[in-house]
Amino acid sequence: MLDTHASAQPRETRSALSYLALDVLLLITTPYLAFGVRVESLTLPPDVFALYLKYTLGALVIRLVANWRGGAYKALWNYASAVDVSRLLIAVSVASALCLLHGGLLVRFIPPGFGRRLPLAIIFMDCAFAVTAVVAPRLWRRLVNAGAASRAGGSGGTLIVGAGRLGQLLLQDLRTASTTIDVAGFVDDDASKHARSLGGVPVLGGVDSLPALIGEHKAELVIIAIRNPNGALVRRILAATSAAGVVAKLMPAPSEIAAGTKVMQALRTVDIDDLLRRPRVESDLAAVQALVGGKTVMVTGAGGSIGSELARQCARCEPAHLVLVDHNEDGMYQVQRRLLASYPSLHVVPIVADVRDAKLLRAQLAGLIPDVVYHAAAYKHVPLMEQNPVAALVNNVGGTLALLTLCESLGVPRVVIISSDKAVHPSSVMGATKRLTELLMWQRAGKSRTVYSAVRFGNVLGSRGSVVPLFLEQIQTQRRITVTHPEMTRFFMATSEAVELVLQASVLSRGGELFVLNMGNPIKIVDLARDLVRLSGMTPDDDVQIVFTGTRPGEKLHEALIAETEALEATAHSSINVVRLTDAALGDAAALAQLESLLSDGESDERLVKLLHRVIPELGPVPQSTAS
């Protein structure tokens, strides 16, 4: 990254002094020429020369002051915009009016030659000459620079995707920040912009022509300068740059660039979140602040991906106490360390405990009663839970049951449970346990002062143990990626966005709601794998092989966010819907009650699995090893 601030400052100062010296020279010359034309001689008589001096000294001061106020010595005329030129024209126009007043009225009262008037023809000629003298050198410099940039662009450099306002800002910054970066041209899908230019740089074509343009102009860098580009567009650009071995970077929106930071410094590499980018979620931060700010907030599973992001976003709202619960000591240490580094005054209460140990939790809370509890603690690995169904039930369902019971006994006002799209027509033990937590929430809603809700969403990018870190590890260590099936799809969302919507849903809750987040369209896992290969600077199926291994136990080809029997209702938030559960959703109510009873008693044997299959018939028959 180039730090050009130190070198740019003297260069800008020298440029200003150069223009000032040029203006002084020309603005002394133009009135002399006007007088010479009037008397038809370049040798002025002594009395005329005295008149020239009186007028010129005053006019010079007027014009230099007007130029300075008009930004003539601050603008970088190599890269001046229409605004800079407009300000200069206004300045010289005002200066001309004042010079007319000065020459026509004031000069006659300045000795020597008191009372002698200056012919208006001389003043008008001088004003015309002066305007040309001030404006022409600057416009000439701007046009020469634009032509040089276009010629240099043809031999290699940078392509900017987006011939709009962001592209224009980037072009200006690239030109002023470094003379070593040449812009070959713009790329934009708006056909009306093709064969035109922006800032003297041509718009070469659309994104589909990017591969050819990279080769034709020997581009070494492609910068995306589009506000909130959608994931499909970013993937098209990345595919072209990856195939050509060219680096792709993304320009943030001006509002996301820290004050004093050059645009060039704010450029970042494209990451996996950009490939899924949707229009930014609009959030009611004031409502979340009212719910969390100054309150006691508890997050279970705080050492995990969702839990730690919940803790971070809650910390921004300045809760009075932030209680973190996780049985993973290292995870707890890491999240506490990061939170206190960012929020030194935050009062964190770390509790290393299993959510099933209600007695220990009660003791560790030391009299604190949470105002809001976000329950994110759960086992989540589908194939692993298929091999450990009892552990999945005891932790996911038994832990939720114990926590809800504790919250009711403490009088906790609000509890939000994190669910999963795998709870819809579950084909795995893990999905079935998530479905059971939804049913437990609904069953208890309205029966105590605690307001319950659950939030259901799909995969989050980069979460611990998910496909993204697994694929990245395989790319770096094995140069191969294992994908279960070429048609397998999943819903994906950035962790920060998912948690932001969870907080919004908790504000909307009035009791018993099952909220479903708008996850956008499902994405093929194999497409995600290829995108990650490109992000790593390699070519799919060439540098990195993709191997299909077949679906694993409990996996489905396609997940869904709602079942066919469920109906979505809109909420006040466009990205959050709600499903109202019915008695029919409970299935075998007697089996569910028996399952609850066994879990509450601390039982952990194969009876739990048999009851699970009765409550969730989509799981199919009980495995033979369990049934026997």
Side-chain angles (χ1 to χ4, degrees), residues 338-496:
R338 289 192 293 267
L339 285 173
L340 291 179
S342 301
Y343 308 96
S345 60
L346 180 66
H347 183 214
V348 178
V349 181
I351 300 178
V352 180
D354 192 309
V355 290
R356 293 174 293 169
D357 195 339
K359 185 176 180 181
L360 176 59
L361 276 179
R362 186 189 294 270
Q364 291 291 89
L365 283 170
L368 285 176
I369 298 178
D371 296 286
V372 188
V373 173
Y374 293 99
H375 178 42
Y379 290 152
K380 62 180 183 179
H381 295 286
V382 171
L384 192 58
M385 291 305 100
E386 288 300 297
Q387 296 175 304
N388 297 272
V390 175
L393 276 161
V394 169
N395 186 75
N396 292 4
V397 184
T400 300
L401 191 60
L403 180 69
L404 300 189
T405 302
L406 173 64
C407 289
E408 289 175 4
S409 67
L410 292 175
V412 173
R414 191 178 298 263
V415 175
V416 182
I417 299 170
I418 304 300
S419 187
S420 166
D421 57 355
K422 294 173 179 59
V424 179
H425 295 312
S427 61
S428 65
V429 169
M430 182 272 180
T433 62
K434 285 295 187 180
R435 179 61 174 170
L436 281 176
T437 60
E438 293 178 354
L439 296 179
L440 288 175
M441 177 279 298
W442 178 82
Q443 191 180 54
R444 287 173 173 258
K447 296 180 180 178
S448 68
R449 60 163 292 186
T450 302
V451 174
Y452 289 114
S453 61
V455 183
R456 181 194 289 170
F457 54 90
N459 297 35
V460 292
L461 285 172
S463 63
R464 195 179 307 155
S466 65
V467 294
V468 171
L470 172 62
F471 285 170
L472 290 174
E473 179 184 342
Q474 290 180 332
I475 291 169
Q476 296 302 321
T477 61
Q478 303 175 25
R479 291 293 192 270
R480 67 192 290 271
I481 290 179
T482 55
V483 178
T484 53
H485 194 283
E487 297 301 320
M488 181 169 283
T489 64
R490 289 293 183 267
F491 292 98
F492 284 99
M493 180 178 280
T495 307
S496 58

Side-chain angles (χ1 to χ4, degrees), residues 61-82:
V61 172
I62 290 171
R63 288 188 170 120
L64 291 179
V65 171
N67 288 355
W68 174 71
R69 293 299 300 271
Y73 308 117
K74 294 181 181 179
L76 296 172
W77 291 102
N78 291 30
Y79 322 109
S81 65

Side-chain angles (χ1 to χ4, degrees), residues 51 54-55 102-111 113 116 118:
L51 195 59
K54 288 196 297 180
Y55 169 75
H102 163 65
L105 296 178
L106 301 181
V107 167
R108 61 191 298 187
F109 300 110
I110 302 173
R116 185 171 182 181
L118 184 65

Side-chain angles (χ1 to χ4, degrees), residues 145-159:
N145 184 74
S150 298
R151 291 191 298 274
S155 61
T158 300
L159 291 171

